[in-house]
Each structure stands twice: as C-alpha cells, then as structure tokens.
C-alpha cells in the first residue's frame, strides 16, 4: 500500500472512538457524553468553579466505570506495533482512560490528562488516583482537600505540546484513529504533519470533520481497522 514504504517514524493520535468498542461512551455521537452533560458545565474551569460537586461526581463516575471495561483489539494491536516496529513511534492519546496501558502499550502521551491522576490545586503536584474526589480527600502530598481531576478542560493547555509538535515535524507517517477532529490543537496535527512532509492516514468509523486533510481515509470500527493496518506496517517491515 502506497503509505507504507520506508516508514521510519510514526506519530499516532487516538481519540474516544478507539475505546468505543470497549464500552466507553464517545463525546459527540448520539447518546454520547455531551448529550448527557453540558460540556460547559463539566469540562471547563468555569464549570468547575461554579459547581465542583457536579464536576467531581462526573469524573468519579467515569473513573469508576473504567474498572468495568477492558482493552479491545485496537488497543492491543498498537501495543504489538510498539513492541515490533523498528523505527520511532509516538502514541498520543486524547483519551483519559487507561486502556492503551492495559492493552500493553509502554509509552503513551496523554495530552488531555488521565482519569487516574489527581492534580492538587494547593501544591500543584500530581498523584496517582483511583478513588473518588467528591468527598474532598486530602492531597497525598500536602494534605490540602484541594484535588481536581488531572484532565485538560476547554481553555486549558494540553500536555507535552512541545514533544508532540517536535515529533510531528519529523514523522514519515501520521495516523489518526477514532477522533472526530472537532477539538484543537489535536484536530490540527494532520495539517502540521502533512505540511512537514508526512503521509497521513485516518482510521475512523466515519469521515471526521478533517477527513479531507488526509492522504488516505479508511472507515469502519477501530477493532477491525487498526489490527489490519498494524499487520500491514509490520508485514511491510519484514516482507
Ligand atoms: C469510532 C468508533 C469505533 C466511534 N471505531 N471510530 C475556535 C476554533 C478553533 C479552536 C477553538 C475555538 N474556540 C476554542 C478553541 C480551542 C478549544 C477547541 O478546540 N474548541 C472546539 C470546540 C472548537 N480547545 C481548547 O480549549 C484546548 N486548549 C487549547 O486550545 O489551548 C490553547 C492552545 C493554543 C495553541 C496550541 C495549543 C494549545 C483544550 C481542549 C480540551 C478538550 N478536553 C476534552 C475533555 C477532556 C477530559 C474528559 O475526558 O472529560 O477532551 S473535550 C473532549 O473532546 C475530550 C476529547 O479528548 C476531545 C476530543 O474528542 P474525540 O476523542 O475526538 O471524541 P468524539 O466523540 O468527538 O469523536 C469520536 C470519533 O470516534 C467519532 O468521529 C466517531 O465516528 C468515531 N468512532 N466509534 C472507530 N468503534
């Protein structure tokens, strides 16, 4: 396939669609999270300041739901790619779940933070977290009852942007998996990578908002598309 020859460096961006077949709601589909909750109430610093109980309860509910889901074949295929691809690979996820890690990936960059991490508003230190926050537990470090979910809300700066942009500049291939392309800066990565010379591939259930920016787009469930694509990359390497 035309995108595969001489690929030394890959950047992959994943979104909620890669976890959909594990049973985690996406944001913008029918019945998705933003149909059940107003985004400005639960995913902005202003919403948190207005009604912290609502926001902490929303993230407690989603953290608790994580214990009931498992990684799917798409997560496991990316772990296989990480193990077996001889070149450079950066896996960036917008997801706050831990399914890439539980699927076997060693190094994943969570640009929108993680459900299982707490950020203390007093000492600004992050701590691993798997309990509730609604009940205002003390920060493990400074003991202040000032924890918030360590996630990136609208108007906040996503994490490790320098590392991501540096990798986009040198990537031979950029692959976007299961994301609507509705939220920036992630939605702009395809144009950054393409302008720097990368081939670009979309794997999504349906055409995303930015589908026309990609050299190639394949549409269907991630659980089918991602293992097929990983086999192509690894087959191309050895064959
Ligand atoms: C499947 C599938 C299956 C389903 N298989 N696929 C005007 C213009 C441009 C930008 C802005 C603007 N006004 C404001 C902004 C900036 C703003 C923004 O983008 N707003 C938009 C609404 C326009 N962005 C920000 O504020 C960001 N910060 C920022 O810009 O800082 C300044 C900056 C400047 C310069 C450089 C860098 C920074 C912060 C954004 C934070 C987003 N936070 C959230 C919540 C995180 C915590 C939580 O989880 O609660 O992140 S919002 C939500 O959307 C979440 C997601 O990570 C993100 C993206 O969603 P995703 O993953 O794409 O999910 P969906 O549901 O949208 O799509 C799923 C896709 O999967 C669909 O296409 C399905 O078809 C598909 N699918 N089943 C394959 N089985």
């Amino acid at each position: 396939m035309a995108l595969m020859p001489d690929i030394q460096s890959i950047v992959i961006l994943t979104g909620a669609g890669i976890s959909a077949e594990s049973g985690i709601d996406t944001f913008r589909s029918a019945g998705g999270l933003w149909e059940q909750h107003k985004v400005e109430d639960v995913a902005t610093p202003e919403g948190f300041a207005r009604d912290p109980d609502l926001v902490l309860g929303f993230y407690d509910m989603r953290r608790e739901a994580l214990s009931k889901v498992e990684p799917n074949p798409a997560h496991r295929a990316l772990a296989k790619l990480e193990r077996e691809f001889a070149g450079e690979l950066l896996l960036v996820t917008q997801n706050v779940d831990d399914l890439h890690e539980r699927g076997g990936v060693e190094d994943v960059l969570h640009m929108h933070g993680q459900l299982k991490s707490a950020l203390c508003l007093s000492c600004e230190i992050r701590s691993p977290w798997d309990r509730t926050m609604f009940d205002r537990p003390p920060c493990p470090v400074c003991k202040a009852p000032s924890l918030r979910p360590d996630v990136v809300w609208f108007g906040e700066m996503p994490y490790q942007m320098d590392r991501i942009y540096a990798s986009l500049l040198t990537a031979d291939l950029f692959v976007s998996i299961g994301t609507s392309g509705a939220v920036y800066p992630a939605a702009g990565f395809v144009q950054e990578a393409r302008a720097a010379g990368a081939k670009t591939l979309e794997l999504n259930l349906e055409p995303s908002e930015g589908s026309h920016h990609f050299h190639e787009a394949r549409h269907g469930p991630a659980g089918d598309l991602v293992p097929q694509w990983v086999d192509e990359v690894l087959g191309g390497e050895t064959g």
Side-chain angles (χ1 to χ4, degrees), residues 96-116:
V96 296
D97 66 52
D98 60 352
L99 292 181
H100 282 304
E101 288 89 341
R102 283 161 57 199
V105 170
E106 296 276 331
D107 185 16
V108 54
L109 191 165
H110 283 270
M111 66 176 287
H112 290 165
Q114 302 186 64
L115 281 172
K116 290 193 170 177

Side-chain angles (χ1 to χ4, degrees), residues 16 21 27-28 59 62 112 152 155-156 179-180 184 204 206 222:
E21 289 156 76
F27 294 90
R28 292 169 183 80
Y59 284 95
R62 290 174 58 199
H112 290 165
V152 177
E156 297 182 323
T179 175
S180 60
Y184 287 83
N204 203 52
E206 59 200 359

Side-chain angles (χ1 to χ4, degrees), residues 6 19 23-24 49 77 79 83 86 94 101 105 117 121 125 150 160 165-166 181 190 193 212 222-223 230 233 238:
D6 301 325
S19 297
I24 298 185
R83 280 193 306 274
Q94 298 168 87
E101 288 89 341
V105 170
S117 176
L121 293 170
I125 291 177
D150 183 15
Q160 298 193 56
Y165 282 126
V190 57
H212 56 284
V230 166
V233 175
T238 54

